[in-house]
Amino acid sequence: MLLKTLNLQKSFGKTHVLKGISLEVNEGEVIAIIGPSGSGKSTLLRCLTQLERVDKGTIEVDGIQMVGMNGEKAVYADNKILHEIILKVGLVFQNFNLFPNFSVIKNIIHAQVKVLGIEKSLAHKKAMELLEKMNLKEKATSYPCELSGGQQQRVAIARALALNPRILFFDEPTSALDPELTGEILKVIRSLAKEKMTMVIVTHEMAFARDVADRVIFMDDGVIVEEGTPEEVFGNTSNERTKEFLQRFNQN
């Protein structure tokens, strides 16, 4: 098992965003997390990647405890262990988060050199291999502002993969894209799924979630309402809240 959480809770002021999230992700598994805006999906990803700190609960990544409980309080591991854990996860944001003043190739090299301490020539070699995989080799010397949104997102995926994560998180990877550019990102994620890359994908693309996920999690109001195979959640749910969400989504 690559990821395990138990009873995660997170509040911002008086707003209780996560109300006891427990989940497990196995190696090679693709999990799609769906649900309405404000249900806590993105906050969950931010907690799992150390961008936010939980108030309660436990998180284990690749057998290493990131957060444990001491009485009623969440206690994080020391900085050395947290650094070790962060190297095992990658996060692809919905708005790319590329360095605008770096070329495409430098965006991918920089992370390898700074985070992993890899020699620049080796980092360059890996970056070019990943750009070829993303069908962007000819854009190596371009800058983010010269690329389409879909191309920028593919560079962001390449940058995340360059760090050799054990598990890759996607936060609405197509939400900032025009519909015609969405397909190229979904194609990349499908290819990673075929390579058995472990992924947790927050998405509003229901057809994609149904097609690519091994398991679908439906969140609403800070809790997991339902989880199961795509067939169970999309095709055979008996949960009224899930039905209501999917019917409303299908009408949009």
Side-chain angles (χ1 to χ4, degrees):
M1 189 183 305
L2 270 187
L3 173 69
K4 183 177 182 178
T5 79
L6 187 64
N7 194 32
L8 289 191
Q9 298 189 43
K10 173 68 179 176
S11 295
F12 295 101
K14 293 182 179 179
T15 305
H16 202 178
V17 180
L18 300 180
K19 302 175 182 177
I21 300 291
S22 299
L23 64 88
E24 296 179 355
V25 181
N26 298 309
E27 188 164 6
E29 195 173 24
V30 179
I31 307 292
I33 303 179
I34 63 172
S37 297
S39 59
K41 306 183 302 295
S42 293
T43 298
L44 174 60
L45 289 200
R46 291 178 67 82
C47 289
L48 295 176
T49 54
Q50 301 183 38
L51 293 174
E52 299 285 356
R53 291 210 159 201
V54 298
D55 302 319
K56 289 184 180 180
T58 64
I59 302 174
E60 209 175 89
V61 179
D62 200 16
I64 305 170
Q65 189 166 79
M66 180 170 119
V67 191
M69 288 295 291
N70 184 357
E72 288 294 302
K73 188 180 177 185
V75 178
Y76 276 74
D78 62 39
N79 287 337
K80 184 180 178 185
I81 291 174
L82 292 180
H83 180 70
E84 184 183 342
I85 290 171
I86 205 66
L87 295 179
K88 294 176 180 286
V89 305
L91 175 60
V92 178
F93 299 88
Q94 52 185 299
N95 292 316
F96 326 132
N97 280 30
L98 299 173
F99 293 112
N101 57 325
F102 285 3
S103 65
V104 164
I105 190 83
K106 190 173 179 182
N107 261 285
I108 303 171
I109 290 171
H110 181 76
Q112 296 179 75
V113 172
K114 289 290 182 184
V115 178
L116 298 182
I118 289 174
E119 193 179 303
K120 200 168 182 181
S121 60
L122 292 174
H124 185 280
K125 182 173 182 285
K126 175 140 195 180
M128 289 306 294
E129 288 170 358
L130 285 165
L131 285 175
E132 187 163 11
K133 185 175 184 175
M134 298 293 153
N135 201 23
L136 286 172
K137 200 170 181 180
E138 75 287 354
K139 298 291 185 181
T141 57
S142 300
Y143 284 81
C145 64
E146 299 172 316
L147 306 181
S148 71
Q151 289 170 333
Q152 289 185 62
Q153 191 62 295
R154 280 184 279 159
V155 174
I157 294 171
R159 181 179 61 181
L161 289 172
L163 299 181
N164 299 315
R166 299 274 283 133
I167 183 168
L168 195 53
F169 296 95
F170 291 84
D171 187 9
E172 297 277 15
T174 61
S175 67
L177 304 178
D178 295 332
E180 65 207 41
L181 298 176
T182 294
E184 62 190 58
I185 300 306
L186 300 185
K187 184 179 176 184
V188 168
I189 296 174
R190 277 196 185 93
S191 72
L192 292 174
K194 285 179 183 173
E195 295 170 13
K196 293 299 179 184
M197 180 77 206
T198 309
M199 293 183 283
V200 177
I201 307 164
V202 168
T203 183
H204 60 277
E205 298 284 344
M206 297 300 130
F208 172 69
R210 184 172 192 158
D211 183 37
V212 81
D214 298 302
R215 193 150 42 97
V216 177
I217 291 172
F218 171 56
M219 282 182 66
D220 187 31
D221 195 28
V223 299
I224 292 176
V225 175
E226 183 175 9
E227 67 175 294
T229 65
E231 291 76 17
E232 289 167 341
V233 174
F234 290 108
N236 199 31
T237 182
S238 58
N239 185 286
E240 287 303 318
R241 182 64 190 95
T242 308
K243 281 183 183 176
E244 182 190 344
F245 170 76
L246 291 174
Q247 283 170 359
R248 187 176 300 171
F249 206 95
N250 290 336
Q251 288 167 3
N252 291 339

